[in-house]
Amino acid sequence: MRHACAGRQFGRNSGHRKALLRTLVRSLLKHEKIETTIAKAKEIRPLAEQMITLAKRGDLHARRQAQSFLQDVDVVSGLFSDIASRFTSRNGGYTRIIPTRQRFGDAASLAVIELVERAKKTTESKTEAKGKDA
């Protein structure tokens, strides 16, 4: 019986699972939108929201806690400077999960997990790039 065994195992040992979740959270905070399986998206949501809450605190201890989890200086600096300022008025619910499709190879259900308030520059730069190509 699995009483009081929270979290999904994903067929991995604990170190591999921790590295997988850390990498997914890092990618989400770097790109602000990733596509993964629904189960993985549901597992990384609280971790990503915890990192954003740390960034909203903004003190040195919070920065060091985020750095110890994410292990990427560029992502942490972007998190504390850019992402935290966007969510100052929001008390939680920083991410959304949108089911998309089934993967062709193994028919796994996929979903997009993204930040609720994404940066304007990513959408503007894509439209400018399309305009220059035409």
Side-chain angles (χ1 to χ4, degrees):
M1 286 183 271
R2 290 183 41 96
H3 294 290
C5 294
R8 295 171 177 87
Q9 292 183 352
F10 298 122
R12 293 165 167 84
N13 61 29
S14 61
H16 192 184
R17 185 170 51 251
K18 184 177 179 182
L20 169 76
L21 297 176
R22 174 180 292 164
T23 304
L24 286 171
V25 171
R26 186 183 316 132
S27 296
L28 174 64
L29 294 175
K30 183 176 182 180
H31 301 291
E32 299 185 4
K33 179 180 179 179
I34 59 172
E35 184 178 35
T36 184
T37 62
I38 291 176
K40 289 176 186 172
K42 287 180 179 179
E43 282 294 312
I44 67 169
R45 171 183 250 173
L47 299 173
E49 295 197 2
Q50 183 180 10
M51 290 298 113
I52 294 172
T53 303
L54 282 175
K56 283 174 55 177
R57 268 189 17 212
D59 57 347
L60 181 62
H61 183 59
R63 183 178 287 268
R64 286 179 175 165
Q65 284 178 317
Q67 176 63 39
S68 73
F69 180 77
L70 295 173
Q71 298 179 346
D72 189 346
V73 177
D74 297 331
V75 173
V76 172
S77 63
L79 172 67
F80 275 73
S81 63
D82 181 38
I83 295 174
S85 62
R86 279 188 262 153
F87 292 108
T88 53
S89 62
R90 188 180 286 266
N91 290 329
Y94 310 120
T95 58
R96 75 168 60 99
I97 298 174
I98 304 166
T100 56
R101 61 188 177 96
Q102 286 192 325
R103 191 161 44 205
F104 179 71
D106 60 354
S109 298
L110 297 180
V112 169
I113 180 168
E114 63 183 4
L115 299 181
V116 173
E117 297 175 11
R118 293 181 56 206
K120 301 287 186 197
K121 63 182 179 181
T122 57
T123 57
E124 290 174 0
S125 63
K126 289 180 184 177
T127 56
E128 288 174 6
K130 289 180 183 176
K132 290 179 183 177
D133 291 341

